[in-house]
């Protein structure tokens, strides 16, 4: 027979989940099929051939009637049996597994290419228009200070716009009034005419940022109906939002700064955050009012925390893994598919 197990091993190495990969490798170690020093091959991939062959053999043995015929010893890549029908059966099983893994890889690659092409065209694979959603949840970076009128209120808006971008990009201590004023196209004196201090501008930027997020949530709910949480997750952990601090959501970028702020800033942040929670809770279909608010806190935390991790890591592939996990978890939580009863908490230490 040919070498379908080798093909299977190659295919599985590409797409097998880490927990299953660890289980198969541990099985191989426990059975003496590979040793600790030979756990990885020269490409850094687990040496799974013997382990997969052994597992397939066990599965077949359990399904076979006892007739006195026993399989010959399995090698790393070729499995031979005394009974030709069993050899054919094993080959068919292996080939089906290869086909299934190949189909999964092809499907995932197709989805990635579809999303990438759609992003280039301005529409996501799920029909979300990224540019529209982008300005709804984050700062509107398509508008520059020069685009805004020069009236008194508009001058304040230009300063607030510059402050929002500046604080999100550089943090509270990473940018000063002179730079903020310059970005707004005004003098430092004009800045203090609208905000008594840098802290006042920061407070306004925080509240304005969370209000933007709340308005974005309401826009997603209005535009996408029952699938609004899918559209939100698509946008929130998408590559465009992930890679732009200045124009992204204020919650993950400004919350760490609020932690170190005084009570006045934190109280204003809290009030705006509660309104944001209420906007998300109002869009949830299942649960009591209390349960919906609790779920909304989970959604806010998962999205903001996940986006922060994805932005912080250097490896883009890892950032994508984090984003996919956060994306799927957000949708599951919003749909009520994650039950607290399924989670076993450790007992409290004495």
């Amino acid at each position: 027979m040919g070498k379908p197990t080798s093909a299977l091993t190659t295919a599985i190495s590409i797409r097998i989940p880490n927990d299953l990969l660890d289980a198969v490798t541990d099985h191989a170690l426990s059975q003496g099929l590979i040793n600790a020093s030979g756990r990885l091959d020269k490409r850094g991939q687990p040496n799974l051939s013997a382990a997969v062959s052994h597992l397939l053999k066990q599965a077949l043995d359990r399904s076979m009637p006892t007739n006195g015929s026993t399989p010959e010893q399995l090698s790393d890549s070729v499995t031979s049996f005394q009974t030709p029908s069993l050899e054919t059966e094993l080959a068919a099983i292996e080939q089906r597994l290869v086909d299934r893994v190949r189909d999964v890889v092809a499907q995932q690659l197709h989805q990635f290419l579809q999303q990438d092409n759609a992003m280039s065209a301005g529409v996501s694979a799920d029909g979300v228009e990224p540019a529209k959603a982008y300005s709804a949840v984050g700062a509107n970076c398509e508008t520059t200070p020069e685009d805004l009128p020069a009236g008194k209120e508009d001058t304040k808006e230009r300063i607030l716009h510059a402050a929002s971008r500046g604080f999100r990009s550089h943090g509270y201590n990473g940018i000063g009034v002179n730079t903020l004023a310059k970005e707004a196209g005004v003098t430092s004196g004009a800045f203090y005419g609208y905000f008594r201090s840098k802290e006042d501008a920061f407070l306004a930027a925080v509240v304005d940022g969370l209000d933007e997020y709340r308005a974005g949530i309401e826009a997603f709910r209005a535009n996408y109906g029952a699938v609004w949480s899918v559209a939100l997750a698509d946008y929130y952990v998408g590559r465009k939002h992930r890679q732009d601090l200045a124009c992204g959501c204020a919650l993950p970028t400004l919350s760490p700064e609020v932690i170190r702020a005084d009570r006045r800033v934190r109280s204003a942040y809290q009030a705006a955050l509660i309104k944001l929670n209420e906007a998300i809770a109002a869009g949830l279909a299942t649960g009591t009012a209390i349960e919906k608010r609790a779920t909304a806190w989970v959604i806010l935390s998962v999205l903001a925390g996940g986006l922060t991790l994805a932005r912080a890591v250097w490896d883009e592939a890892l950032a994508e893994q984090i984003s996919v996990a956060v994306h799927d978890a957000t949708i599951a939580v919003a749909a009520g598919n994650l039950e607290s009863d399924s989670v076993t908490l450790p007992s409290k230490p004495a």
Side-chain angles (χ1 to χ4, degrees):
M1 129 180 182
K3 297 184 179 182
T5 307
S6 296
L8 175 63
T9 300
T10 301
I12 288 181
S13 296
I14 296 173
R15 197 59 191 167
I16 189 169
N18 288 336
D19 55 349
L20 183 56
L21 182 63
D22 291 340
V24 173
T25 306
D26 289 342
H27 166 79
L29 285 168
S30 67
Q31 296 296 321
L33 299 171
I34 59 174
N35 55 42
S37 61
R39 193 181 183 108
L40 301 178
D41 63 19
K42 61 184 179 181
R43 295 170 302 167
Q45 296 293 331
N47 183 3
L48 298 179
S49 295
V52 172
S53 295
H54 192 267
L55 289 171
L56 288 171
K57 174 182 175 295
Q58 287 183 325
L60 281 174
D61 287 344
R62 292 192 182 98
S63 65
M64 289 166 45
T66 304
N67 55 14
S69 60
T70 58
E72 295 179 357
Q73 200 63 258
L74 292 167
S75 68
D76 277 352
S77 59
V78 180
T79 305
S80 299
F81 285 94
Q82 293 176 346
T83 307
S85 62
L86 294 179
E87 179 180 301
T88 302
E89 185 179 355
L90 177 57
I93 291 173
E94 290 178 332
Q95 191 58 55
R96 286 199 297 272
L97 287 171
V98 171
D99 292 341
R100 184 170 182 179
V101 172
R102 183 191 61 216
D103 290 344
V104 169
V105 173
Q107 182 182 19
Q108 292 296 323
L109 182 59
H110 174 72
Q111 290 178 356
F112 172 79
L113 292 174
Q114 186 180 38
Q115 291 171 359
D116 195 55
N117 292 335
M119 183 65 73
S120 300
V123 181
S124 80
D126 294 311
V128 181
E129 298 179 21
K132 182 185 293 185
Y134 198 62
S135 60
V137 175
N140 185 2
C141 288
E142 295 178 357
T143 302
T144 64
E146 292 75 15
D147 295 329
L148 298 173
K152 184 175 181 180
E153 288 302 315
D154 298 309
T155 299
K156 183 176 183 179
E157 184 179 347
R158 289 207 308 275
I159 297 172
L160 179 58
H161 181 73
S164 295
R165 296 181 58 175
F167 289 132
R168 294 180 204 195
S169 296
H170 306 288
Y172 182 80
N173 292 323
I175 194 167
V177 169
N178 290 341
T179 303
L180 292 175
K182 182 178 179 181
E183 290 294 322
V186 301
T187 65
S188 298
F191 176 95
Y192 285 114
Y194 294 94
F195 296 100
R196 293 179 299 175
S197 64
K198 176 181 166 182
E199 185 182 75
D200 278 0
F202 176 70
L203 187 155
V206 167
V207 173
D208 186 66
L210 296 190
D211 286 347
E212 282 176 348
Y213 194 179
R214 177 170 53 82
I217 295 297
E218 292 169 351
F220 276 119
R221 287 171 47 200
N223 292 333
Y224 300 104
V227 296
W228 71 269
S229 61
V230 177
L232 173 64
D234 286 347
Y235 155 73
Y236 204 91
V237 291
R239 192 180 304 128
K240 186 175 181 181
H241 185 221
R242 201 167 66 222
Q243 295 177 347
D244 197 339
L245 291 175
C247 301
C249 177
L251 188 63
T253 51
L254 297 186
S255 293
E257 305 294 332
V258 173
I259 293 173
R260 293 179 283 271
D262 63 17
R263 181 174 180 175
R264 183 173 65 108
V265 174
R266 293 176 67 185
S267 295
Y269 169 90
Q270 176 177 309
L273 187 64
I274 290 173
K275 291 180 181 178
L276 175 57
N277 172 275
E278 292 170 349
I280 292 178
L284 299 176
T286 61
T288 64
I290 293 177
E291 290 170 341
K292 288 180 179 180
R293 287 195 295 271
T295 301
W297 287 128
V298 174
I299 292 172
L300 283 170
S301 301
V302 168
L303 285 175
L307 180 62
T308 299
L309 292 179
R311 282 173 167 174
V313 297
W314 176 257
D315 185 356
E316 182 60 25
L318 179 56
E320 190 66 26
Q321 290 178 29
I322 295 170
S323 298
V324 169
V326 170
H327 173 276
D328 294 348
T330 300
I331 295 172
V333 170
N337 292 335
L338 290 184
E339 300 293 341
S340 59
D341 291 343
S342 66
V343 180
T344 302
L345 298 177
S347 58
K348 294 182 179 180

